[in-house]
Amino acid sequence: MVITPESSNPYSIQQEELQKIDAYWRACNYLAAGMIYLRSNPLLKEPLQPDQVKNRLLGHWGSSPGLSFVYVHLNRLIKKYDLNAIYLAGPGHGAPGVLAPVYLEGTYSEIYPNMSEDEEGMRRFFKQFSFPGGIGSHCTPETPGSIHEGGELGYSLSHAYGAAFDNPDLLVTVMVGDGEAETGPLATAWHSNKFLNPIRDGAVLPILHLNGYKIANPTILSRISREELEDLFKGYGYTPYVVEGEDPTTMHHLMANTLEHCVNEIHAIQEEARTTGVAKRPRWPMIILRTPKGWTGPKEVDGHKVEGFWRSHQVPMGGLHHNPEHLQMLVDWMKGYKPEELFDEKGSLIPELKALSPKGHRRMGANPHANGGILRKKLKMPDFRDYAVDIGRPGSIEMENTKVMAYFLRDVMRNNMTNFRLFGPDETASNRLHPVYEVTKKTWLADFLPEDEDGSELSPDGRVMEMLSEHTLEGWLEGYLLTGRHGFFHTYEAFAHVIDSMFNQHAKWLDICKKEVPWRAPISSLNILLSSVVWRQDHNGFSHQDPGFVDLVTNKSADVVRVYFPPDANCLLSVTDHCLRSTDYVNVIVADKQSHLQYLTIEDAVKHCTKGIGIWEWASNDDCGKEPDIPDVVMASCGDIPTREALAATAILREEFPDLKVRFINVVDLFKLQSEGEHPHGLSNRDFDTLFTPDKPVVFNFHGYPWLIHKLVYRRTNQDRIHVRGYKEEGNINTPLELAIHNQIDRFNLVIDVINYVPKLRSAAAYVKERMKNEIIDHLHYAYDHGIDKPEMVHWKWPY
Amino acid sequence: MVITPESSNPYSIQQEELQKIDAYWRACNYLAAGMIYLRSNPLLKEPLQPDQVKNRLLGHWGSSPGLSFVYVHLNRLIKKYDLNAIYLAGPGHGAPGVLAPVYLEGTYSEIYPNMSEDEEGMRRFFKQFSFPGGIGSHCTPETPGSIHEGGELGYSLSHAYGAAFDNPDLLVTVMVGDGEAETGPLATAWHSNKFLNPIRDGAVLPILHLNGYKIANPTILSRISREELEDLFKGYGYTPYVVEGEDPTTMHHLMANTLEHCVNEIHAIQEEARTTGVAKRPRWPMIILRTPKGWTGPKEVDGHKVEGFWRSHQVPMGGLHHNPEHLQMLVDWMKGYKPEELFDEKGSLIPELKALSPKGHRRMGANPHANGGILRKKLKMPDFRDYAVDIGRPGSIEMENTKVMAYFLRDVMRNNMTNFRLFGPDETASNRLHPVYEVTKKTWLADFLPEDEDGSELSPDGRVMEMLSEHTLEGWLEGYLLTGRHGFFHTYEAFAHVIDSMFNQHAKWLDICKKEVPWRAPISSLNILLSSVVWRQDHNGFSHQDPGFVDLVTNKSADVVRVYFPPDANCLLSVTDHCLRSTDYVNVIVADKQSHLQYLTIEDAVKHCTKGIGIWEWASNDDCGKEPDIPDVVMASCGDIPTREALAATAILREEFPDLKVRFINVVDLFKLQSEGEHPHGLSNRDFDTLFTPDKPVVFNFHGYPWLIHKLVYRRTNQDRIHVRGYKEEGNINTPLELAIHNQIDRFNLVIDVINYVPKLRSAAAYVKERMKNEIIDHLHYAYDHGIDKPEMVHWKWPY
C-alpha cells in the first residue's frame, strides 16, 4: 500500500517544515561523509588538502543516508506525539547514519564531552571513526541509543521485539537491511508478531530498507516483483506500506505521511485492545523503504555507476591522496549539502534545526531503554532454600533436578510478572519446567482451537516464550535483557550450537561494555540452561550428542563467561539463584532433565556451589585433605551423570581394594580448574594442589569433551597425571549405560583407569580388571537383548 | 489454490487404483506402528502379549502417516511418468513413515538381507528400530534413499535444492514439517527458487506438512489464516496448492490430482525453458498438505485427544506392559489397518500391492542420487603447480594468497562445468576469488537491471552461488555433495560459527557412513575456506574477531575432520588440490585474503604440505634437526599472519643474539600436533620430539585461540615448555600490528617470550627486552596518530 501525499490524508505537512527536515538530513549526510573521509578541516572552511584526509578510508556509506532519513522523520513524530521511541539499525555497519543524528541531537557530546558541538568537537568526532583507539563502523556499544551492533547480520528484528515485550509505552523502530533480510534468523523473526500482545507489550515498526545491494550483489527482495514483495509481508501478517523514490522532496513528503499513518495505526490498535481488554493479533503496519544505495552520494566515479549501485556499499571513491579529481569530488559532494547553511561559524548546528530534535530522554540516543541497566529492577527472589530436596543419606534418592528448579522458577515468575520471561524452543514441558504453567502460560497470539483447552497451555498473556527457532528466542531474550529486564533460556544441549554465533556477539558486547563503556549500567546476565544432554539420547542417537557449546564459551573473555555443572537438585537451585541475581555475564548451566541421585543437603549445596569445587568427604576414604598427599588416587567428577558413575566406581574400588585411599572431588564451577591468572574464578596453584595433590593420579570424569579439561588445567602441576574421560563421539542408539561404556565414562572403565594409574594396583589387580571387562560385556548384552539397562544399574544407589 | 477431484481436470483417477493406494498406505502405517511398539509377533497372528512389546517405546508416530502418504502417491507418479525422483523427509524423526515404504518396495531387504520380506524379517525390522545396536528414529545414513537425517531441523529445503542443482532430470520432493518451518534456516531457504535454473537444474517440489503441532505446541503456520498462508508462499514466489482434510478416500483423490497437476506443471515449465532456451524464474508449484497429526492413530487415550493433537507427536500411549486397555488399544489400532489383507501368510506384501512400487533404481529408496558417491565422477583437475608463484628468495615478495588460488579454482571450474560449484555469502570478490568470473558468473534468476552489465557478474547459468545466508549456502553444498558432486565453500572466519551446528551434523553423518554404512560410496569432502580472518579487522573490530570455528572442528571424530593453515600461496595451492581430490572429510582451510609474504617454492610447498609440519632450514640457524637437541629454542608458527611475525622475531633474535640457535618450525596440518593415537595425521611422539626436541623451550605463534594448541599437545613430552601465543579476545578498531601487539603474537612480544624462556638469555638481555617494549610503544603511537602501521612494518621482508 502507498500513502501518497496527494491522497487526502490527515497527515499533510507544510513545505517549510519539510525543508527543515531536509536540511537536518543534509547535516546528517554531511557528517556521515566527514566521518568516513576527514581527519581535519571538518567544515571545509579551507581548501581541502590531501593530508586532511584519513590514510585508510573505512566505513559504509551505502546505507547511511537511509538510516538517518528514517531517524530524522522519527524525530518529527517523537516531538509531535511525545513518543517514547528507540531505534535499531539492522545494517549497523552504516553507523555513520546513526552517529550523525545522535551527535546532532546533542547526546553524543553529553556522553563524550570532548566530541563537543563545535568545529574542534566535530574534527574529533570525524577522526575517531574507524580509527585506532576510536570507535567501530557498526553501532557498537559505544554508540548512544544502540542496543544492536549490527555487525553480524540477522538479529535486528528479534532484538526489536525483545525490547518491546512488557514495554507497553515503547515504540521500537527497526531498520532491516535487505541484505540482512536474506539470513535465516531474520526471515523467521517476522513471525514474532504472533507473540506480541497489543495490551501488555509495546510496538515494533519494522522498516525493510530496500537499498538494493549487498557488498557486490543485488539483494533478493529488491529483485522480485512488487506483488510478490507485498504478498510476502501480508503473508507474514503485516500491512506493508511502500515508500519508494529518490527525489528528496517527494520522499520527505511520502515518508512523513506514511510514518505518521503507521504511528497512528499502531496507536489505534493499542487503544482498541487496551480499551476492550481483548488481546488479539492485529495486522501491524510495516514499511518498505526503497531508496538508492548511497543516496545523495557521488553518482558516478571514473565512469562507473555508484549511487544506486553496489559500488557505494563502503567508500564511494578512494585514492584521494594521489588523485586530485577524487579529492575534488569529495569536496563537491560534501559542499553539495551546503554546510554553511547548516552549521554556524562555531561549527554548531544552527538553532532553527536544533529545534527539530526531541529533548532530554525523548532523544533516541538518550532514551533510557537503550541503556537498559539504568531501568533494571532487581528480581524479587523467593528463597531458593524453600525448594530444597530432603535428600536423606547422600546418593539414596532420585529426583528430576530441573523439575525441582522449576518450582523455584515458577515463584520467581510469580513475583516478577512484568519483567521476567522464560524462553525455550518447544521444550518447556520436556525439560520438566511445566510447573511454571501454574502461574503463567505460553505466549500465543496466533489462532486458538477448542482442543487447546486440554493441555496446550496457551494464552495471549503468557510469559513463557516458545517457538521452534533458537535464533528468535535468543534474539528476543537479548533484546529483553538489553532493555533492563530478566530472563532464562533453556535449550537442547546439542542444538545450543545453533546460537553459537549469537552467543559470541552478546559476550563480546558485554565485554566491551564492561571494559570500555562506563556509562552503560550493568544488565541482567544471559542465563542459558542446557538440558536434554549428550548422555540421554536413547533414540535420538548420534546426531543429538554434542556437549561442545561450553568449549565455545571457554574461548570468550574470562570477564563475562561462567559455566556451571550442578550435580544434583539442591546445587542446581543454588546455582540458579546465583545466576538470576548476577549481571553482565553469560551463565551456562548444564543439567539433565531426567531422574538423578541427590547428594547434598541444601546447606552443603550452598557451601559447595559457593566454593565451586570441593572434596566430598562422605564419598572419600582418605583423610579428606587434612594432610597433604594422603590419597592414592583422586576421583574427580563434573556433571550430574559423570558424577554418578564416578561415585559408583568409587564404591567398587572401596569394595575391591579396601586399603586404597580415594579422594572424591566434585566440580560445579568449571572455571575453578583454570589458573587464577586466566580466570577470576580460577584456583590458585596452591589451592589446586591442596585439592588434587601435586602428584597423585587423578581420574577425572567429565560431562563434555575430555580435552576441554586438559585445556583448562594445562598450567597445573604435573598436569599429565590428570586422566580425563568424557564424550568422544562414540554414540548411536544407546541405552544410557551403553553410551557411557562406549565413551568410557562408566564405572567399570573408571575402575580400570584407577588400576592402570595407581602403581601399587597395577600388577595385583589383573583379576579385577578382568571382572570389570566382563561386567561391561554382560551389560552390553543385556542392553542389546532388552533394549534397556539392567534395573539394578538404573536404580543404583551409593551404598555407604 | 485447490485442485478438487470435482473440478474438471485431466488427472482423475479410478476408484480401484485409489483403493490399492490406500491399502499400500495402510501397510505403511501398520509397519510404522509396529516399529514403534513390537519386538515380536509382528503380524499379530497370535494374541499380543505384553512381553512382545518393547520395553522402551521410542519414536515419533505423529508425522509418520503424512510422510508415507506422500511417498505412496509419489510412487504412483514415478511409475506413470517414469520419474527420476528422490524424497527428503524434513521431519526425519518421523522415520517410520519413510522406513515403511522403503521396506515395502524391497530396497531395505536388498541392502539388509536379514530384514527380509517375510514375518521373521519384519520382526527384525520392527525390533531394530530405536533399539540398542539398531537404527535411529530419524532418517539416518542407514536409511536407504535418505540424504537428510532430519534430526536437527531447518535444512531440508536447502538440501533439496542442492540435490536438484545440475540434475536436470531429477525431481526432489521435500516434506517440510511445520515445526521445522519456524526455524530461520528453513524460513529463508524458500528463496532458493531465485537460484534454480529450469533448463540446467532439476526441480524441487516442496510440500509443507501442516501437521499442526510440535512436541507440545501448535505450529505458527497452522494457526494463521488461509489467506496469510497462501500470501506467504506467493510472496516467496511459489504457486501454493492446498490439500486439506482427514478422510482418507477424499484425501487420496485430492493428493493424487494435486500431485499430478504439480508434476505436469513442473514438466511444462521445464519444457518451455528448454525449448526456448530462455532461463527465467517461473512460479514453481508447492503443496500445503494439512492433515491431522498422528493421522489414523488412536483418536483418544485415557479421555484425552490424541489424533490431530500434539499428544500424538511421539508414542500415542505407553505403559502397555501393565495396562491391558492400552495393549488392546494397540491391537485394535494395528488390526484396523487389516494386515491380513495386506500381507500374505509368509508375511510379504501381497503381489497386487507390490505391483504399485516402482522398479529398480526408480524406487526412491534405491535411487542412486541418494547414494551420491556411486554417481560421483572425479574432478578433472588442472595441475596446481601451473599456478605457482615464483617466490625468489623466501620472504621477499608479497601476494594475495587466495587470489593465487582463485586462478586454480577458475580452471577447476572451467574443467568441470556440470558438477562443481563455488559457494560463499556475498564475498567472492572480497575474498579475491573473482578470477572465477572469467569462466562463470553468479547464479541469478531474480530480476535483472541494466546496470548489472557493469560488474554485477550475474547470470542464470552462473555456477557461483552467493546469498547472504550461510545456512542456505551450506545446505545447498551439502545437498550437492551428497548427490555426488563437488564444491568449495568460503566464508568469513568469525561467522563460520553461524553454521557450527550444520557442520556438526554433516561431520556426524560422514562418520556414521564411514564406520557403519558400507553400502554408501564415498562422497566429495566438504571444503571450507575461512578468509577475512581475525587478524585483519581494521574497521569491523571486535565483533568480527573469532577464530574458534577450528576449535569446534577438533571436537569431531578424527576420521572425518582435517584443518590446514597454509602459510603462503604455493602451500595454499597444494592444500586446495589435496582437499578437492579427497572424499568423506570436512576440510577446513584458513587463509587470509590480503597480501602476504611468500616463502616456499612450489616444490618445497608440496613437500611441506605433504609432511604437514616441518623445519624451515632457511629460517633456522641450528643444525636443522640433524643432531638432536641442538637449538636453544624452537620458534613455531601456524597460520599466515603468525608465521610472518614469528619470522620477524627470528630475524630480530638473530641480529640481537647471533649465538642463539633458533629452529623454525611451521605447521600446515594442525592435526600433526596431536598424538598418533588420537588422530591418523598425528606425529609419533618420537617424531614430535625430533622436531620440537624433548626439552627445549618452544614459542608457538598460532592463528587461533592459544589453548587449542595446548589441547592438541597435552600428551607430548614436557608439554609445559610449549608456550603458545594466539588470539585472546583483545581487539577493537586496530591496525594489523596493533591487534597483533594487543594479543602478543607480534614480533616484539615473541622476542620477549624467547628471552624469558631461554635461561641463558634471561639475565643478559634486559636491554633487549626494554628495546622491544619501546618498539611496541612507538608502533602503537604511530598507529594512533596515523591510523595505519608504519610503512616499514607493512612492507617488512625476511632479511637473510
Side-chain angles (χ1 to χ4, degrees), chain A residues 339-393:
Chain A
E340 67 285 0
E341 297 179 3
L342 311 170
F343 301 100
D344 64 17
E345 196 47 37
K346 245 180 71 217
S348 308
L349 191 66
I350 59 171
E352 195 188 345
L353 296 182
K354 194 88 193 161
L356 295 188
S357 59
K359 302 287 168 254
H361 282 172
R362 288 308 198 210
R363 293 173 299 176
M364 291 191 287
N367 191 303
H369 292 283
N371 182 7
I374 60 177
L375 296 178
R376 175 179 178 268
K377 295 199 182 84
K378 282 186 188 172
L379 284 174
K380 294 172 204 138
M381 296 289 283
D383 188 343
F384 67 95
R385 292 172 192 81
D386 295 344
Y387 306 84
V389 176
D390 187 359
I391 63 149
R393 204 167 47 72

Side-chain angles (χ1 to χ4, degrees), chain B residues 45 290 351 416 510 557 595 647 678:
Chain B
K45 285 184 179 168
R290 191 191 289 267
N416 302 277
L510 292 177
S557 163
S595 275
L647 281 167
E678 301 276 327

Side-chain angles (χ1 to χ4, degrees), chain A residues 39 56 182 188 215 217 311 426 442 454 466 500 508 538 543 545-546 555-556 707 729 785, chain B residues 39 56 149 182 188 215 217 311 426 454 466 500 508 538 545-546 555-556 707 729 785:
Chain A
R39 54 181 298 168
R56 281 208 71 180
E182 295 179 11
T188 201
I215 301 178
N217 268 324
R311 287 198 188 85
D426 193 30
K442 287 176 270 193
D454 179 25
E466 291 202 2
D500 279 0
K508 281 177 177 274
D538 311 31
S543 62
Q545 295 163 357
D546 189 303
N555 276 345
K556 291 298 129 199
W707 31 88
E729 295 282 317
D785 288 343
Chain B
R39 53 182 297 168
R56 282 209 71 181
E149 173 158 342
E182 294 179 12
T188 201
I215 300 179
N217 269 324
R311 288 197 187 84
D426 192 31
D454 179 25
E466 290 202 3
D500 278 0
K508 281 177 177 275
D538 310 31
Q545 295 164 357
D546 189 304
N555 276 344
K556 292 296 130 200
W707 30 89
E729 295 282 317
D785 288 344

Side-chain angles (χ1 to χ4, degrees), chain B residues 234-248:
Chain B
K234 284 181 202 158
Y236 276 127
Y238 297 85
T239 302
Y241 294 93
V242 179
V243 175
E244 178 173 348
E246 51 185 299
D247 171 61

